[in-house]
């Protein structure tokens, strides 16, 4: 009996690894029937394994019932409990923004210290495109995502963040003057979105807008990353699309 139990556990472990490997190879959400068809698992086993991965924060299921291995899990860290439902709601919004703009879209949050955590991305299908490792460092003061999140913190929180960080120049365009940054954050609050024009990476431009919860608090930011040359050609259109996507997700947050 002991041998049979151990063998059963190994079989289950093998199936979940097969499932993870299959999902890792899928860059787009995949249906349950497609998973069963590709792997040949019994439907009951496939469903149980998927629910386990969802519960552990490694897989999300969107509103259309499709499954996707979260980008975080590709790099070794699962979602926190509050992040999985946000990403599940955000995924179709991000896909629509990616398809409408042709550019890469990211979803990020910020902790109490002002550190940014990238949660998910939808990468552009264009041959030359913006992309980023979700775990790579990001500076809030000189990125669109960071400014879209930082701008809506309290004055004390913003001051504490600026006191703590070293305002380094990442490129020749990086703004490092404290008063200029405070003025930029006030501008973000006024117009509802932030722009990083080559301040973090030369040749790339980011646009980000805040995502709000039911109470109006900012809980995340949607960011569009593109080549600066393409941003110049479509600036007003891209900014509008980002603001509309953030508003759409915020409405979904309010309903949730």
């Amino acid at each position: 009996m002991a041998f049979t139990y151990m063998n059963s556990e190994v079989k289950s472990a093998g199936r979940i690894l097969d499932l993870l490997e299959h999902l890792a190879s899928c860059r787009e959400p995949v249906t349950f029937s497609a998973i069963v068809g590709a792997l040949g698992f019994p439907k009951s086993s496939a469903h149980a394994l998927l629910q386990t991965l969802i519960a552990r924060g490694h897989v999300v299921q969107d509103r259309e019932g499709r499954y996707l291995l979260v980008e975080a899990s590709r790099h070794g860290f699962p979602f926190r409990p509050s992040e999985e439902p946000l990403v599940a709601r955000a995924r179709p919004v991000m896909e629509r923004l990616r398809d409408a703009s042709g550019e890469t879209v990211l979803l990020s949050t910020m902790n109490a210290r002002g550190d940014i955590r990238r949660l998910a991305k939808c990468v552009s299908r264009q041959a030359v495109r913006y992309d980023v490792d979700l775990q790579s460092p990001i500076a809030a003061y000189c990125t669109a995502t960071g400014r879209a999140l930082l701008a809506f913190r309290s004055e004390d929180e913003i001051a504490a963040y600026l006191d703590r960080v070293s305002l380094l120049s990442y490129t020749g365009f990086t703004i490092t003057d404290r008063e200029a940054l405070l003025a930029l954050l006030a501008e973000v609050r006024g117009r509802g979105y932030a722009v990083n024009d080559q301040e973090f990476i030369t040749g790339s431009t980011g646009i980000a807008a805040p995502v709000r919860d039911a109470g109006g608090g900012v809980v995340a930011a949607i960011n569009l990353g593109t080549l600066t040359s393409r941003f110049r050609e479509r600036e007003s259109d891209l900014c509008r699309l980002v603001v509309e996507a953030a508003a759409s997700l915020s409405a979904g947050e309010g309903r949730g």
Side-chain angles (χ1 to χ4, degrees):
M1 291 296 293
F3 177 81
T4 301
Y5 174 78
M6 182 180 293
N7 204 37
S8 175
E9 288 295 301
V10 170
K11 184 176 181 180
S12 296
R15 280 181 171 172
I16 205 161
L17 289 173
D18 287 343
L19 178 55
L20 286 169
E21 289 172 358
H22 176 68
L23 291 174
S25 70
C26 301
R27 301 306 300 183
E28 300 293 333
V30 60
T31 64
F32 180 74
S33 60
I35 292 171
V36 172
L39 298 176
F41 293 172
K43 290 183 178 180
S44 58
S45 296
H47 183 266
L49 293 174
L50 285 165
Q51 293 307 307
T52 298
L53 290 173
I54 290 172
R56 293 297 184 95
H58 293 286
V59 169
V60 293
Q61 185 176 19
D62 67 17
R63 289 182 174 179
E64 297 177 13
R66 302 171 302 171
Y67 298 89
L68 181 73
L69 182 68
V70 301
E71 288 293 337
S73 287
R74 299 178 194 271
H75 303 284
F77 63 91
F79 283 156
R80 296 168 182 143
S82 63
E83 294 170 345
E84 187 275 331
L86 172 62
V87 173
R89 286 191 289 269
R91 185 73 196 185
V93 176
M94 295 171 68
E95 289 176 347
R96 288 195 295 271
L97 177 56
R98 186 265 316 275
D99 294 342
S101 67
E103 306 297 346
T104 296
V105 179
L106 296 104
L107 179 73
S108 304
T109 58
M110 176 181 280
N111 68 15
R113 284 173 49 84
D115 301 319
I116 296 171
R117 177 176 165 95
R118 295 186 181 103
L119 300 181
K121 64 180 177 179
C122 290
V123 180
S124 167
R125 296 190 176 99
Q126 300 200 59
V128 180
R129 57 186 178 267
Y130 176 86
D131 197 1
V132 65
D133 185 327
L134 292 186
Q135 285 190 296
S136 62
I138 178 171
Y141 67 91
C142 63
T143 58
T145 292
R147 288 174 181 169
L149 292 167
L150 192 62
F152 297 94
R153 294 295 179 94
S154 69
E155 290 185 6
D156 288 344
E157 288 174 316
I158 294 172
Y161 169 79
L162 294 175
D163 288 341
R164 179 173 64 82
V165 300
S166 298
L167 302 178
L168 305 175
S169 292
Y170 286 87
T171 74
F173 302 95
T174 308
I175 297 172
T176 58
D177 179 77
R178 184 181 180 117
E179 293 306 313
L181 288 171
L182 289 172
L184 277 173
L185 294 177
E187 184 178 340
V188 171
R189 285 192 295 274
R191 69 184 182 185
Y193 67 92
V195 174
N196 149 39
D197 194 1
Q198 303 189 82
E199 293 186 57
F200 195 53
I201 301 173
T202 303
S204 72
T205 298
I207 311 159
V211 175
R212 298 178 181 274
D213 61 16
V218 173
V219 294
I222 279 190
N223 176 85
L224 183 149
T226 182
L227 306 185
T228 300
S229 58
R230 293 207 291 257
F231 171 76
R232 297 274 188 268
E233 296 171 354
R234 302 178 58 199
E235 179 175 349
S236 60
D237 185 40
L238 293 177
C239 291
R240 175 184 58 81
L241 288 171
V242 172
V243 170
E244 289 175 353
S248 175
L249 181 53
S250 295
E253 281 288 291
R255 288 194 301 270

